[in-house]
Amino acid sequence: MKELAVIERIPRAERAARQLHRLKGLITRLSERVPLYRDRLRDAGVQPGDIRSLADLARLPFTVKDDFRQTYPYGLLAVPMEEVIRVHASSGTTGKPTVVAYTRQDVDTWSEVMARTLMAGDVGPGDVVHNAYGYGLFTGGLGFHYGAERVGAAVVPISGGFTDRQLMALRDLGSTVLCCTPSYALHLAEAIEEAGLKPKDLKLRVGFFGAEPWTEAMRDALQTRLGIMALNIYGLSEVIGPGVSVECPERDGMHVAEDHFLPEIVDPATLTPVPEGTVGELVFTTLTKEALPVLRYRTRDLTSMTTEPCRCGRTLARIGRIMGRSDDMLIIRGVNVYPSQIEHALLQVADVEPHYLLVVRRDNALDTLEVRVEVGTAVAAAGTAAMEVLAARVRRKIFETIGLTADVSIVPPKTVERSTGKAQRVLDLRK
């Protein structure tokens, strides 16, 4: 594993030279093998020989999620089907799912970047990885599984659901590493407390949480209630799955495996690159994928990026916490609202739980936002008056955070639906 640690610490100029070499090869392969890219590169007036520096990336066309749907299922393949050994797919919220494919080398690359992900939390031989990400077509479960095996850890492939079984495995199998969505980790923390267990009764020491946006306040809650170091991860199936980036113990941004995935931040409106440190839309180009490489894939996720060296010694670019998506922003009476902003406000108010649902309605042409949030057991037992006082505090904090007056519904414990995967945070009834 030492060679993987070295890769993450080479000088940026040396890495840039590798990136450029790989980018040139990618453009050649796409031009020769993928009709969609052949046409778009021709329309952009770009030939493989025109790529002379990484700055030329800005001349290249973008890829969007709809391109996967328009070429469903295998129209973006850059290799013959005989070379494909794995197919995954996203859930597909509208229409057909997003299908992605892997060669044997792609699976090896995936294992490598997932090993690097787990190594950021010092996971290795002797660790027991409790993998509660979903297995199957979703990339989360198998991604962490491969990475854990690569670093020599023992894997508990428990997937999601069956909370009683999860608790038994955490306790009896001596799990030291927890991998799941942050909302499910919070659900497990609740269940652990209800079972009369304390963090010291388990061996957990680190958790890797992703697949949905979460806040620093959520991190604090997970670290306190589970007694662990909580690390943020980021990935998406169109790029490879999990393994694209991860925090180190410094927790000052997520290190991008940019020897494999070339990141950009662009203005989502103009699609032009933004200055370092500016919030914009995250874009990735896959430099080493064989079966289904993507060129300038628009993730729709909003964040910022820095290339400043990290205190941990890694020289990889770092992206900040995902603030939301350019396509999940709610516009309520002219105010731009992201669910992560609401979560940040809620978790600053004592006596509420980090389980909430945003309900958007349109009444007589006027948009309204209802925030349903669970109350702690003590306030619930205190009665209606106490809950009304708490609702007023929450309403004030939301207004201070986003400048919008929301209807706040304080609901009893366990009334907001739990999820074993990505939590549903928004119910938009305007449609």
Side-chain angles (χ1 to χ4, degrees):
M1 295 293 104
K2 289 183 178 179
E3 69 277 8
L4 299 184
V6 170
I7 287 172
E8 299 187 329
R9 289 166 171 81
I10 64 174
R12 288 201 59 79
E14 182 180 341
R15 182 177 296 113
R18 295 183 186 183
Q19 290 172 326
L20 179 59
H21 175 74
R22 289 174 172 177
L23 179 62
K24 290 178 177 179
L26 171 68
I27 299 304
T28 298
R29 285 187 291 124
L30 293 178
S31 299
E32 294 174 349
R33 303 180 183 183
V34 184
L36 180 141
Y37 286 121
R38 181 188 305 129
D39 294 343
R40 289 189 179 173
L41 288 167
R42 183 194 61 226
D43 293 344
V46 177
Q47 297 181 5
D50 296 336
I51 306 301
R52 296 184 174 87
S53 74
L54 292 178
D56 289 327
L57 191 64
R59 301 174 55 191
L60 302 177
F62 289 95
T63 309
V64 295
K65 197 178 194 74
D66 197 52
D67 291 328
F68 285 81
R69 299 192 181 108
Q70 295 296 329
T71 57
Y72 176 88
Y74 299 128
L76 291 180
L77 280 184
V79 298
M81 195 65 194
E82 290 79 4
E83 296 182 27
V84 172
I85 67 163
R86 174 70 55 75
V87 175
H88 281 281
S90 68
S91 56
T93 54
T94 59
K96 297 287 188 180
T98 299
V99 174
V100 291
Y102 300 75
T103 64
R104 194 168 301 281
Q105 179 59 49
D106 289 336
V107 172
D108 187 66
T109 298
W110 194 13
S111 299
E112 175 199 317
V113 294
M114 284 308 305
R116 287 161 57 172
T117 293
L118 290 167
M119 288 167 61
D122 199 29
V123 178
D127 276 305
V128 178
V129 177
H130 185 98
N131 187 7
Y133 281 107
Y135 282 68
L137 287 177
F138 175 60
T139 54
L142 282 172
F144 274 95
H145 191 113
Y146 291 143
E149 289 186 340
R150 177 69 73 93
V151 300
V155 190
V156 180
I158 198 163
S159 197
F162 302 99
T163 301
D164 289 343
R165 184 180 64 179
Q166 300 270 353
L167 296 191
M168 181 181 68
L170 285 168
R171 181 184 56 211
D172 297 350
L173 303 183
S175 301
T176 58
V177 182
L178 176 61
C179 305
C180 61
T181 62
S183 56
Y184 191 56
L186 193 65
H187 177 56
L188 290 176
E190 251 180 5
I192 289 167
E193 292 162 0
E194 290 173 359
L197 299 174
K198 299 186 182 304
K200 64 181 178 60
D201 297 321
L202 304 176
K203 293 184 178 180
L204 288 177
R205 62 174 182 82
V206 63
F208 295 86
F209 307 119
E212 61 189 22
W214 55 299
T215 61
E216 284 299 315
M218 178 75 90
R219 189 206 301 273
D220 292 341
L222 290 173
Q223 293 190 149
T224 299
R225 297 173 76 168
L226 291 172
I228 61 173
M229 175 174 64
L231 298 180
N232 197 5
I233 66 144
Y234 176 84
L236 61 167
S237 59
E238 295 87 349
V239 174
I240 202 164
V244 175
S245 64
V246 62
E247 287 181 318
C248 68
E250 296 292 338
R251 285 162 283 186
D252 188 24
M254 292 178 282
H255 296 277
V256 178
E258 56 175 332
D259 45 326
H260 295 286
F261 318 113
L262 186 57
E264 302 173 80
I265 305 291
V266 302
D267 184 309
T270 65
L271 300 183
T272 56
V274 301
E276 185 168 310
T278 303
V279 173
E281 182 178 334
L282 182 59
V283 172
F284 279 111
T285 295
T286 59
L287 297 175
T288 57
K289 276 185 67 178
E290 293 182 339
L292 210 157
V294 291
L295 180 62
R296 303 192 81 193
Y297 181 72
R298 294 185 59 188
T299 69
R300 304 289 183 178
D301 291 321
L302 300 174
T303 187
S304 60
M305 183 168 67
T306 179
T307 56
E308 288 295 317
C310 181
R311 291 184 293 272
C312 74
R314 290 174 176 84
T315 56
L316 299 165
R318 283 171 287 148
I319 57 173
R321 187 175 291 279
I322 302 300
M323 300 174 59
R325 290 176 56 82
S326 60
D327 55 0
D328 76 356
M329 180 181 73
L330 300 170
I331 303 178
I332 311 295
R333 299 195 296 276
V335 178
N336 297 343
V337 179
Y338 291 98
S340 58
Q341 293 175 302
I342 301 293
E343 179 177 298
H344 177 72
L346 293 176
L347 292 180
Q348 294 183 66
V349 180
D351 300 320
V352 299
E353 297 294 319
H355 300 291
Y356 66 93
L357 179 67
L358 310 183
V359 183
V360 186
R361 297 183 177 87
R362 179 163 292 151
D363 298 325
N364 297 322
L366 182 67
D367 291 342
T368 62
L369 173 64
E370 177 194 359
V371 179
R372 296 178 189 168
V373 60
E374 285 186 14
V375 68
T377 54
V379 176
T384 303
M387 294 174 72
E388 289 177 351
V389 170
L390 182 58
R393 287 167 48 205
V394 172
R395 191 178 304 111
R396 183 166 57 251
K397 177 57 68 174
I398 291 173
F399 181 80
E400 292 171 355
T401 302
I402 63 174
L404 180 72
T405 300
D407 298 324
V408 175
S409 300
I410 302 294
V411 298
K414 299 297 183 69
T415 52
V416 174
E417 184 178 356
R418 305 300 194 259
S419 172
T420 61
K422 296 184 182 182
Q424 181 185 6
R425 297 301 194 193
V426 178
L427 179 61
D428 193 338
L429 301 178
R430 292 177 295 184
K431 302 173 185 178

